Each structure stands twice: as structure tokens, then as C-alpha cells.
Amino acid sequence: MTLMGKKFGINRRHFIAGATAGLAAPAILTRTKAYAADPVIRIGHVSPRTGPLAGFAEADEFVLAGIEKALAGGVENNNKSYKIEIISKDSQSNPNRAAEVASELILSDEVDILVGASTPDTTNPISDQAELNEVPCITTDCPWQPYFFGRNGDPAQGFDYTYHFFWGLEDVIKAFLALWEEAGVARKVGGLFPNDADGNAWGDDQRGFPPALIGSGFELTDPGRYQPLTDDFSTQISAFKEAGCEIVTGNMIPPDFATFWSQSAQQGFQPKVVTIGKALLFPSVIESLGDRGDGLTSEIWWTPDHPFSSSLTGESARQLADGYVAASGRPWTQPIGFKHALFEVTTDVIRRTADLDDPNSILEAIQATDLPTVVGHVNWGFGPVKNVSKTPLVAGQWQKGANGMELVITSNHSAPEIPTTGKLKLLS
């Protein structure tokens, strides 16, 4: 169905309209959402429950259960109560699979709104399917440049049906630079950028880390893109040692960082600061590294110490995190806040939409969003491009504490409203 629609310019609404054109008289009797006895809004949700990106979806069941409980009584719209049905599907950490299940949600399940999260491997293919089929879509958990430019977005035009909230590369660069300035180490940085959407964006010569580092007086050693799930980082390690790199940065999936970090120890490479995006977000990854996880640094999207609350449940960031710990027996993870916020925003959109039978009306409500959430304010009226709303970002470090490894905020220059909770220490 998707290939046919792409080839001949048929989208979901046009296809359904054409297929039912000969049934005009019976269609008059069909009940729309507004007049049905029990109208239902269907939300399609895609995330990587399995595969190398599964850490991003570790808390999905907890978040979805909480959202379903909060929405059990329905959502009010124009003096009518709408039931909410959430259909969640696993992308298996595969962009092709993400596109496939997004297509199923749109064409088979006929969802009214599509949502998704967790790296461009998920956000981009499902957004492309939504754009193709003219279905409103909201995504998060991916820096906005890989999301926007990775889909060949034009800042002068933007997209019609797809909207995203998260921070950008400019924010993570600023957070990392501030963290490294505090470290006071040699300004020589080794870059680890994979040959995928995230890595190519982070290592981009125009919009990524290279020009920002050079402009701030840092010297970058970039051995080039490596293939994800590689089993040998000897080339990169040798280049970093030869250049005297005391800082290592990049964007990696957890298995790749584990390989790199193990081989660094074997080959005698001992940087003083290691600041890696994506891979070092999760407690499970840090725990698997043992003592070598102590002192690693990363961007920080969300913590229990963030001073925000849910517009949907009223829970503070601390209460939401503590709820997950109590329910799962596992440490909180950063995506919890953004997965929850995804449904905060979607629920707010449903409440404000003038006509829930009209996708364009839903889009108008998305565009008019001005909502304080558990991860910060979401408002698509302020850019940086038409389809993006930015959220605050800080940086910090994993440190061994009384209860095991704890993620502490050591640098908040980009978002001073978020308090620091610790001081940076060097690896060696």
C-alpha cells in the first residue's frame, strides 16, 4: 500500500475516498467521531522495544500504563468525551521496520495521530510515513538536526504533517564545551562518529562538532566514520593516542562504546574526559562497565532534579522517576520524561482541536501548542525551524555513590534553571 501510494501520489485519505466513492448513499449513515456514541481517538506509537536501541524504550510499559490510567476517563473536546486508544509497535531498532509498522498504524489501524521516539532510526522513518500519508505526527528523543536535515528538510518550507520537540546539536555542543572548560584538560579531542544518521549529523563539517570545536580553540582528531556494531576500534585508538587526545567525544550505540572502552584499556589509552552521547544515557550500560563506568560523562536531557511537572498528571519529575523505580525495581532512565511528555503534548492537542475528524484541524492545534511539560516548555512558534520546539539540555557525570552509580549534573550553563547536583572529576 505504501509503495503504491508513493508511486501514484495516493495518500490514505485519497485512497479511502476513492475506494468508497461508489458507496455514497450508505456512507451518509456512517457515524463520525463527533456523533458516535463512544467516539475513539487512536494514537499510534512506535519505539525500539528490542534491538541495540532498546534502552531508549526500557520504560515504555511503565509510561504507557501511566498514560492509559490518566486517560481512562477519556479526554474532553468540545463538550464531548473521547476514549483514547494507544496502539504501540516495536521498531526493533531498525529504520525499515519503523517505516513498516508506521505504515501499518496509518493504513491498517487508521490512527488519528502518530507519535514516536528514540533516535533518527525511529523518528525519521515514521515521520516520513506520516508526511506521505498526511497524518499528524509528533516525535521526540532525537536532536533536531538529524530529524530535520536527515529528512532533507528545507528551513524555508519545513514539513506539513510532522512535528518534533527535543534539543539540538548546538545545545549539546554548548553543554559539552562548558563541561570540558571546567575539566581544565588539554584541548585535544578525539571524535567517534558512526556512519548513521546521528553520527553523520554530529560529525558534519558545517552543522556538527568540527566547526564548533575549532571555533572554540579545540583540536579535533576525527579518523572518519566507522560502521555501527564494529568489533575493532584500533584505528581510532591509535589516532587518538598519537594526537595526544585527553578528551573523547561522539555519538555511539551502547554496544559500540563498550567495545571501544574495553579496547582502550587493552591498548593503554587513558583519556581524562570521555563524553559520549546516546551510549552513556542508561544506568544498565554504566553498570555493565563496572568500575570503568565511574567518571564517564554525557549530555543530560532529564533527571528527577529537573524543576518541571506533568501537565497531564501533575507529577513532578521526581515523582515520575520515583514511580518508575518503585514499579520496576530498576534505576530511572532519561527517556522516561520525554516519553511521558510525548503523551502530554498529544493529549493537549486532542483537547484543543476544533474538529477531530479533520487532520488539518489537528495540525492547527499542534502548531498552536504552548504547554509546560515534565521536560520543559513545548511551543512550535519559536523555531529554530517550523517543525521543531527545543527543550533544555545540561551535562554531567556518572559517579559512584552510596547506591551505586549516580548521574549528577555538573554543568548547567545552557539551562541555569536546572540545578547542578555535583562537581566534575577527571578519569585519570
Side-chain angles (χ1 to χ4, degrees):
M1 190 71 70
T2 304
L3 292 176
M4 182 172 69
K6 186 175 183 180
K7 183 176 181 181
F8 296 105
I10 300 173
N11 59 47
R12 180 181 75 165
R13 290 189 297 136
H14 297 156
F15 176 78
I16 293 174
T20 59
L23 304 175
I28 294 174
L29 303 177
T30 300
R31 296 182 298 176
T32 65
K33 292 183 183 69
Y35 296 99
D38 297 303
V40 176
I41 295 295
R42 289 183 173 178
I43 303 172
H45 171 252
V46 182
S47 71
R49 295 286 191 100
T50 58
L53 298 176
F56 284 90
E58 178 183 329
D60 272 16
E61 289 186 11
F62 167 79
V63 172
L64 289 172
I67 296 299
E68 289 174 357
K69 180 180 179 181
L71 301 180
V75 174
E76 293 294 319
N77 174 285
N78 290 324
N79 298 315
K80 182 83 174 180
S81 180
Y82 286 76
K83 292 183 177 179
I84 304 299
E85 180 182 352
I86 300 172
I87 306 171
S88 183
K89 298 199 175 187
D90 179 15
S91 71
Q92 301 174 2
S93 301
N94 184 310
N96 294 326
R97 177 63 179 170
E100 181 182 338
V101 297
S103 179
E104 290 174 1
L105 287 166
I106 294 169
L107 299 175
S108 299
D109 298 303
E110 296 185 8
V111 298
D112 300 282
I113 303 174
L114 189 64
V115 302
S118 308
T119 85
D121 287 340
T122 309
T123 62
N124 292 16
I126 72 169
S127 295
D128 287 343
Q129 287 295 315
E131 196 76 22
L132 173 68
N133 290 287
E134 300 184 359
V135 174
C137 177
I138 303 171
T139 54
T140 190
D141 283 17
C142 167
W144 72 262
Q145 287 92 341
Y147 161 83
F148 190 85
F149 295 114
R151 300 173 57 219
N152 298 314
D154 180 351
Q157 290 186 307
F159 298 102
D160 294 324
Y161 288 85
T162 51
Y163 288 79
H164 186 76
F165 65 96
F166 207 55
W167 42 266
L169 292 180
E170 70 278 20
D171 303 305
V172 74
I173 289 169
K174 190 181 298 183
F176 282 10
L177 289 176
L179 186 147
W180 299 338
E181 292 282 1
E182 293 174 5
V185 299
R187 303 168 79 87
K188 294 186 176 183
V189 183
L192 289 166
F193 305 116
N195 186 22
D196 61 15
D198 259 339
N200 290 327
W202 284 54
D204 187 82
D205 288 336
Q206 296 181 351
R207 302 189 184 99
F209 269 75
L213 294 182
I214 293 171
S216 299
F218 287 83
E219 180 182 328
L220 176 66
T221 298
D222 181 0
R225 306 298 161 264
Y226 69 86
Q227 288 305 118
L229 296 177
T230 186
D231 59 2
D232 187 0
F233 284 93
S234 297
T235 298
Q236 290 83 357
I237 293 169
S238 295
F240 298 162
K241 289 172 68 175
E242 184 176 347
C245 295
E246 293 193 350
I247 302 170
V248 173
T249 194
N251 184 281
M252 311 175 77
I253 59 176
D256 284 345
F257 179 76
T259 300
F260 164 77
W261 200 222
S262 174
Q263 292 178 358
S264 293
Q266 294 167 4
Q267 297 176 33
F269 177 49
Q270 297 180 318
K272 295 181 179 179
V273 180
V274 174
T275 311
I276 300 292
K278 190 186 296 186
L280 304 184
L281 297 172
F282 308 114
S284 57
V285 174
I286 301 301
E287 289 169 1
S288 72
L289 298 173
D291 289 341
R292 284 183 59 76
D294 187 18
L296 296 174
T297 51
S298 176
E299 80 276 18
I300 298 179
W301 329 337
W302 182 85
T303 72
D305 294 298
H306 277 49
F308 309 125
S309 298
S310 168
S311 61
L312 183 59
T313 66
E315 293 172 287
S316 66
R318 172 66 63 183
Q319 289 171 324
L320 183 60
D322 287 349
Y324 174 73
V325 173
S328 68
R330 297 193 298 269
W332 59 269
T333 68
Q334 296 192 52
I336 292 172
F338 280 85
K339 294 294 180 69
H340 181 93
L342 189 60
F343 290 97
E344 283 187 73
V345 173
T346 304
T347 302
D348 176 67
V349 166
I350 293 171
R351 285 174 174 155
R352 291 184 292 101
T353 297
D355 180 2
L356 284 169
D357 284 320
D358 181 3
N360 288 315
S361 186
I362 295 175
L363 283 178
E364 289 174 1
I366 292 174
Q367 293 161 2
T369 296
D370 185 16
L371 185 70
T373 75
V374 77
V375 300
H377 217 97
V378 176
N379 184 321
W380 279 285
F382 298 107
V385 291
K386 173 186 174 184
N387 306 85
V388 172
S389 175
K390 293 214 302 181
T391 53
L393 183 72
V394 291
Q397 185 172 49
W398 289 98
Q399 297 180 358
K400 186 177 292 186
N403 298 314
M405 293 295 186
E406 300 175 355
L407 183 60
V408 299
I409 299 170
T410 64
S411 178
N412 66 347
H413 292 255
S414 300
E417 70 274 22
I418 299 170
T420 58
T421 58
K423 298 289 186 182
L424 183 71
K425 64 181 184 180
L426 301 182
L427 287 170
S428 58

